[in-house]
Amino acid sequence: MGDHFQMRDRFASGAQFIGGRIRAGTSGRAHTVVNPATGEDVLGYELAGPDDVDDAVAAAHAAFPGWAGATPGERSDALHRFAEVLADRSGEFAYAESLQCGKPIKLSTEFDVPGTVDNAAFFAGAARRLEGVSAAEYSGDHTSYVRREPIGVVGSIAPWNYPLQMAAWKILPAIAAGNTIVLKPAEITPLTSLMFAQAAQRAGIPDGVVNIVSGAGPDAGEHLVGHPDVVMTSFTGSTEIGKRVARIATATVKRLHLELGGKAPFVVFDDADLTAAVHGAVAGSLINAGQDCTAATRAYVQRPLYDAFVSGVADLMGTVRLGDPFDDATDLGPLISHAHRDRVAALVDRARGHARIVTGGEAPGGDWKNGAYYRPTLITDAAQDSEIVQSEIFGPVLVVLPFDSDDEGIRLANDTPYGLAASAWSRDVYRTGRATRELRAGCVWINDHIPIISEMPHGGHKSSGFGKDMSAYSFDEYTQVKHVMYDNTAVAAKDWHRTVFGDRHHPAADPS
């Protein structure tokens, strides 16, 4: 409990970080961060309202000229210091992330925090490599080249499932490119976003470059997206909310990046390593209690391996340990809230009428009855067009379906509105090569599922959105490409002018 009070003391002045200062919100609406493992209150604060968003955007707008005018090397040096600060405080970040999300401390310690530190280190280097097309005389009479320039104030909205990593994915490429940013984290998980902004300040990144407004979507979020001084919106969240964000952003002709829902297929061909596929399916479906838009949610298994795969997954799920997120032995923590746990349970309960619950499908009792826990759940015999197969569950639930031919497996894998991630499992290079070409997803893993790296892009298509997080490709979202063209002739009266005024002189037509 003492650590809970540490959070209350740290953010006693409020849960907004604007212009380099922690302060209270002004919405008049109170909110409480709750530990989903115990139901205990962690931090009470006043939500941000439109006035707080206006102040944050103003702070970012004021800081933009100085930060945009810094050299790439200066921004790179600041981001290197930022990475060092994050690494030095890694234990503190891991604790806060597990406290507000309920995720096992080993996941926070070994995945969330080191991934964030690595992202900061990557963008520290990438800040020096904002490249354009090499200069050349494409017209013959002019030299052309391309500049990449920062676009201005970015307004970003991040989800609750990976608050620290999502803060990094939004903030780091934006500021590495020379922009300033206002980030709205989910109001239920603001702690590590606030700490991230404080770490940026500690690293010497100027006040106003990074701002955090902790508020609700309909108030702070929509006002941020529609703000006239925000030139670009990056949103990660559900597809339905993403559609609302798109309508608001396009009304003000903003640049838009959307990373939305997913329903990742996990395709197991009959020559796959069965043990590897079983282990991959359990890990890929249960990471972060399944609250991951790239989590394996639909396993399609070719008929010769189907029964053994189902049996193996059920047995391995039975070994997964639910428990206290701060116990190193815990494998699976609670879902983010009781309300979300109940939503996941309702989806599973509705499937009972037409599918078979092989294992799980219930909340545990005993020591964990007060937390938002849900047992690892395996479902079979569902129809392809059923809700449990087509809708994003965002919980520790895996549905397994059989297929016969390779054509059928790939067709079923593509048969949802989403296209964020997928994996294929086979020892045959031609089969896997076909899968990489034909699976319609922004990321396709072969004989693995979930790993991500800073150097490679993350993002989808179809109803999973568009644009990229991470990697140098993310700079396409956060920079303006400008064509610069120099005349090399020093000729005042150019031939092309005669298409607008006067006559072109044709020597062959001169009778003299």
Side-chain angles (χ1 to χ4, degrees), residues 193-210:
S193 297
L194 292 164
M195 293 164 61
F196 194 78
Q198 290 177 318
Q201 184 183 50
R202 194 172 288 118
I205 293 173
D207 293 347
V209 172
V210 177

Side-chain angles (χ1 to χ4, degrees), residues 74-97:
E74 289 168 339
R75 291 198 293 269
S76 175
D77 289 346
L79 286 166
H80 277 298
R81 294 193 300 270
F82 192 10
E84 292 171 1
V85 172
L86 294 171
D88 288 345
R89 288 167 169 75
S90 59
E92 180 182 355
F93 275 99
Y95 169 79
E97 193 76 338

Side-chain angles (χ1 to χ4, degrees), residues 125-448:
R128 290 179 177 264
R129 294 180 56 82
L130 288 171
E131 296 178 342
V133 177
S134 299
E137 288 67 49
Y138 295 101
S139 77
D141 291 337
H142 306 82
T143 296
S144 289
Y145 69 90
V146 168
R147 293 174 54 90
R148 281 191 178 271
E149 298 179 344
I151 56 177
V153 177
V154 175
S156 292
I157 299 176
W160 47 257
N161 58 332
Y162 291 103
L164 176 60
Q165 290 203 77
M166 294 298 99
W169 288 15
K170 301 303 182 192
I171 291 171
L172 291 170
I175 67 173
N179 303 291
T180 56
I181 188 168
V182 179
L183 173 72
K184 191 202 85 66
E187 65 270 25
I188 59 176
T189 55
L191 300 181
T192 46
S193 297
L194 292 164
M195 293 164 61
F196 194 78
Q198 290 177 318
Q201 184 183 50
R202 194 172 288 118
I205 293 173
D207 293 347
V209 172
V210 177
N211 305 273
I212 308 293
V213 289
S214 305
D219 300 324
E222 292 194 6
H223 191 67
L224 178 62
V225 174
H227 199 289
D229 289 334
V230 169
V231 299
M232 185 260 190
T233 291
S234 177
F235 171 82
T236 296
S238 73
T239 298
E240 286 307 307
I241 301 299
K243 293 176 183 177
R244 171 70 177 164
V245 168
R247 287 192 293 269
I248 297 170
T250 53
T252 52
V253 198
K254 283 181 174 47
R255 186 177 297 198
L256 185 62
H257 165 220
L258 298 175
E259 198 266 89
L260 306 177
K263 191 70 178 173
F266 186 102
V267 183
V268 183
F269 295 103
D270 57 14
D271 67 334
D273 182 323
L274 179 62
T275 301
V278 166
H279 282 250
V282 174
S285 63
L286 299 186
I287 186 170
N288 203 35
Q291 298 167 128
D292 186 312
C293 50
T294 64
T297 60
R298 300 176 291 137
Y300 295 97
V301 183
Q302 207 153 23
R303 195 120 8 214
L305 293 185
Y306 179 79
D307 290 339
F309 179 88
V310 170
S311 176
V313 168
D315 289 345
L316 190 54
M317 279 187 170
T319 70
V320 172
R321 299 163 295 187
L322 279 69
D324 179 356
F326 293 102
D327 184 340
D328 288 335
T330 293
D331 298 320
L332 191 71
L335 299 181
I336 191 64
S337 68
H338 285 82
H340 183 61
R341 192 269 311 275
D342 292 347
R343 176 190 168 277
V344 171
L347 279 162
V348 174
D349 287 344
R350 288 195 293 273
R352 293 181 192 276
H354 61 83
R356 181 168 74 98
I357 312 301
V358 178
T359 189
E362 62 183 4
D367 293 340
W368 308 113
K369 64 182 179 181
N370 293 326
Y373 289 87
Y374 197 75
R375 292 194 184 282
T377 299
L378 176 63
I379 299 175
T380 61
D381 301 336
Q384 174 67 15
D385 61 356
S386 63
E387 177 188 43
I388 203 72
V389 174
Q390 293 292 323
S391 298
E392 189 171 34
I393 301 171
F394 229 57
V397 179
L398 176 65
V399 183
V400 184
L401 301 92
F403 70 91
D404 292 305
S405 68
D406 289 15
D407 289 348
E408 181 188 19
I410 290 176
R411 178 181 61 79
L412 291 172
N414 286 331
D415 182 29
T416 72
Y418 300 103
L420 186 58
S423 66
W425 298 73
S426 171
R427 294 183 173 95
D428 186 326
V429 66
Y430 297 104
R431 269 179 159 170
T432 57
R434 179 188 179 187
T436 63
R437 293 189 300 273
E438 296 185 17
L439 288 173
R440 292 181 53 76
C443 174
V444 177
W445 292 285
I446 299 300
N447 295 324
D448 208 344

Side-chain angles (χ1 to χ4, degrees), residues 29-104:
R29 297 173 55 200
H31 185 78
T32 302
V33 177
V34 175
N35 178 349
T38 63
E40 294 178 306
D41 294 350
V42 174
L43 175 70
Y45 70 96
E46 187 169 349
L47 292 167
D51 289 345
D52 303 302
V53 172
D54 289 343
D55 290 347
V57 172
H61 193 268
F64 175 69
W67 184 246
T71 67
E74 289 168 339
R75 291 198 293 269
S76 175
D77 289 346
L79 286 166
H80 277 298
R81 294 193 300 270
F82 192 10
E84 292 171 1
V85 172
L86 294 171
D88 288 345
R89 288 167 169 75
S90 59
E92 180 182 355
F93 275 99
Y95 169 79
E97 193 76 338
S98 288
L99 181 65
Q100 67 181 350
C101 298
K103 62 181 66 187

